Amino acid sequence: MINATMPSPKNSPKGSRERRAPGSRMEFLSLMNQKSQVCPESPSRRKDSAATGAAQQALPEEDCMKLNPSFMGIALRSLLAIDLWASKRLGVCAGENSSWGSARPLMKVIEVSGHGIPWLAGTLYGLCRSGSSAGREVLVNLLFALVLDLVLVALVKGLVRRRRPTHNRMDMFATISVDKYSFPSGHATRAAMVCRFVLHHLILAVPLRVLVVLWAFIVGISRVMLGRHNVTDVLFGLMMGYMQYSVVEYFWLSPISAPALFTVWS
């Protein structure tokens, strides 16, 4: 007797295929998902991602630049801080209630002695009263030096536009528009230039020559004591005035080089 077992619906190949069908569909969907995940990005997306990465790499460099300033920047900021601190400490005549407030009237007299108006008026008066050609030549060049000083100082003040110290009182003698600025000190430039001019073109005894040099330095010091300028304003002004005289010597005016000018004063 042959035992033939009929395939049951449960064990039939068709049933097994039907049972595997859901699994096969899940496998097909998973494969499609994998393909979609590994599909190449579009060019625009690659550009955006590259730009984002470059920006993320640039940020640390900018932060480093902010956190690590240059040595020159640190030196300039330190010099400015020292300048402001020293100028405030040395402004002992800035007001009547300052530590040296009683010396303020004397400092203001020194201030007038270095002002441009008295020097211009005195030079013009000397030209009108001079009776010698040599004297007129010296006075004409002194007038040229004073005008040159006014122009150069006004140009530098207009370019730099540094405000005067906060402890300064704006009660100066005969100020103009650019005098609200502090750098450089016009009194210091004028004092240094006039000092060098007088020492080269006037015959003076040794005590008088020493007094002229002391006057130039006292004018510069008085600017800081009155609170008109910072220390660096005066130092730069003294150097600038010293160099201005070299310009005057280079363009020295004489009856030969400028005859029309000397005809006016003859």
Side-chain angles (χ1 to χ4, degrees):
M1 180 177 178
I2 299 173
N3 294 327
T5 59
M6 294 296 292
S8 65
K10 186 177 181 179
N11 297 325
S12 64
K14 184 178 180 181
S16 62
R17 284 196 301 269
E18 289 175 357
R19 287 195 305 269
R20 287 196 300 269
S24 300
R25 185 178 181 184
M26 294 298 295
E27 292 174 0
F28 177 77
L29 292 174
S30 65
L31 290 173
M32 292 298 292
N33 291 333
Q34 291 177 3
K35 289 182 179 179
S36 64
Q37 290 176 1
V38 299
C39 66
E41 294 181 349
S42 62
S44 60
R45 291 185 63 184
R46 285 199 300 269
K47 290 180 181 179
D48 294 341
S49 61
T52 305
Q56 290 176 353
Q57 292 178 358
L59 285 176
E61 185 177 356
E62 293 177 358
D63 294 340
C64 291
M65 292 297 292
K66 292 178 182 178
L67 295 175
N68 299 307
S70 62
F71 175 78
M72 185 61 68
I74 295 175
L76 290 176
R77 289 188 182 91
S78 301
L79 178 61
L80 178 61
I82 294 172
D83 180 31
L84 295 176
W85 173 81
S87 302
K88 191 170 184 179
R89 292 293 300 270
L90 294 175
V92 293
C93 300
E96 288 78 4
N97 298 327
S98 302
S99 56
W100 288 19
S102 58
R104 183 176 173 83
L106 176 61
M107 293 294 107
K108 295 193 72 172
V109 171
I110 297 173
E111 178 180 60
V112 175
S113 71
H115 199 278
I117 291 179
W119 279 99
L120 288 171
T123 304
L124 289 172
Y125 178 78
L127 277 172
C128 295
R129 302 288 297 177
S130 179
S132 64
S133 59
R136 284 194 296 270
E137 182 176 348
V138 172
L139 290 173
V140 164
N141 284 276
L142 179 58
L143 181 63
F144 166 64
L146 294 172
V147 173
L148 177 67
D149 173 71
L150 290 174
V151 172
L152 292 179
V153 170
L155 287 175
V156 177
K157 283 187 174 183
L159 289 174
V160 178
R161 297 189 177 187
R162 185 184 190 184
R163 293 292 179 181
R164 290 189 181 271
T166 56
H167 55 280
N168 173 50
R169 288 180 55 190
M170 291 300 294
D171 58 348
M172 293 179 290
F173 171 72
T175 58
I176 57 176
S177 60
V178 293
D179 283 334
K180 63 183 178 181
Y181 300 123
S182 179
F183 185 90
S185 169
H187 283 69
T189 60
R190 190 174 302 107
M193 184 193 62
V194 169
C195 173
R196 197 176 175 195
F197 190 98
V198 169
L199 293 179
H200 278 78
H201 294 284
L202 293 182
I203 300 175
L204 299 174
V206 175
L208 292 177
R209 296 174 72 87
V210 173
L211 287 176
V212 171
V213 176
L214 286 177
W215 168 79
F217 281 104
I218 290 173
V219 168
I221 294 171
S222 68
R223 307 309 291 159
V224 180
M225 295 178 66
L226 285 170
R228 309 295 197 203
H229 293 277
N230 296 303
V231 176
T232 51
D233 302 335
V234 174
L235 293 178
F236 185 85
L238 291 173
M239 291 187 294
M240 182 176 171
Y242 186 86
M243 291 184 292
Q244 280 177 0
Y245 174 76
S246 300
V247 178
V248 174
E249 283 289 319
Y250 184 80
F251 295 101
W252 185 264
L253 303 175
S254 65
I256 298 175
S257 61
L261 183 62
F262 285 88
T263 303
V264 176
W265 300 105
S266 60

